[in-house]
Amino acid sequence: MSYEKALCAAVAAVLDSKPVSAELEGSDVVGPRWDTQVATSDGTVRSVRVDAVSGKADQPRTESDEDGDDRRELAGWLKRATVTAQQAARTATDKKKGTVTSVELDDSDDGKLMWSVDVVTTKDWNKTTFDVGATNRKILREHVDTD
């Protein structure tokens, strides 16, 4: 299942939440899953694992390592971000055709709010990370990882 469906499942599991991140994980033992995070308007983060095959969402878990400053910062980001995770991912895949394996709301070293989007191509299995402005949808940085 795609990151979009995983984020939809995670948002459905937490009332009045918005997507913050999704990362494709897994192993031979547990199989593929999306580790997602969603947040409510006050910046409270909930983690939701979503099975990447069935689409079943586990019970949401509250992140225990965030403090009041973290919640306020994230709440501010959510208010400022006019670009959705899906729009950022589309911007990245318009530039580089491939599969989105990770998307995360973050800020850059110089304080710009952005979505970091990883795109993997099956042609060469390289991962390209795009930092897409969360307020303007412009590509701020592009980095190819060939490892």
Side-chain angles (χ1 to χ4, degrees):
M1 82 180 301
S2 71
Y3 78 93
E4 285 181 290
K5 289 182 180 178
L7 285 176
C8 286
V11 167
V14 179
L15 187 64
D16 296 326
S17 65
K18 291 184 179 182
V20 175
S21 70
E23 184 172 9
L24 187 60
E25 296 284 341
S27 68
D28 293 339
V29 177
V30 295
R33 69 176 186 274
W34 286 97
D35 288 338
T36 68
Q37 290 187 324
V38 296
T40 54
S41 61
D42 69 352
T44 299
V45 175
R46 306 288 299 269
S47 294
V48 182
R49 283 195 176 141
V50 180
D51 186 289
V53 177
S54 71
K56 183 180 181 289
D58 288 350
Q59 284 294 324
R61 297 175 323 276
T62 301
E63 291 295 316
S64 60
D65 62 344
E66 64 178 5
D67 61 20
D69 289 339
D70 294 333
R71 286 190 297 277
R72 279 188 291 281
E73 179 181 52
L74 183 55
W77 287 0
L78 293 171
K79 286 179 186 171
R80 289 183 21 226
T82 56
V83 175
T84 66
Q86 293 86 346
Q87 290 170 327
R90 229 171 289 124
T91 298
T93 56
D94 284 349
K95 178 90 169 153
K96 181 83 165 190
K97 300 297 179 215
T99 301
V100 174
T101 59
S102 176
V103 59
E104 178 180 11
L105 186 62
D106 203 354
D107 66 342
S108 64
D109 291 338
D110 59 357
K112 291 182 182 167
L113 187 59
M114 65 182 186
W115 288 100
S116 181
V117 182
D118 289 346
V119 178
V120 174
T121 59
T122 54
K123 179 180 140 192
D124 55 15
W125 295 104
N126 287 339
K127 176 180 79 174
T128 304
T129 301
F130 293 92
D131 292 341
V132 179
T135 59
N136 61 15
R137 216 171 160 180
K138 291 182 182 177
I139 294 176
L140 306 173
R141 183 182 77 95
E142 177 179 344
H143 173 74
V144 178
D145 184 357
T146 58
D147 293 343

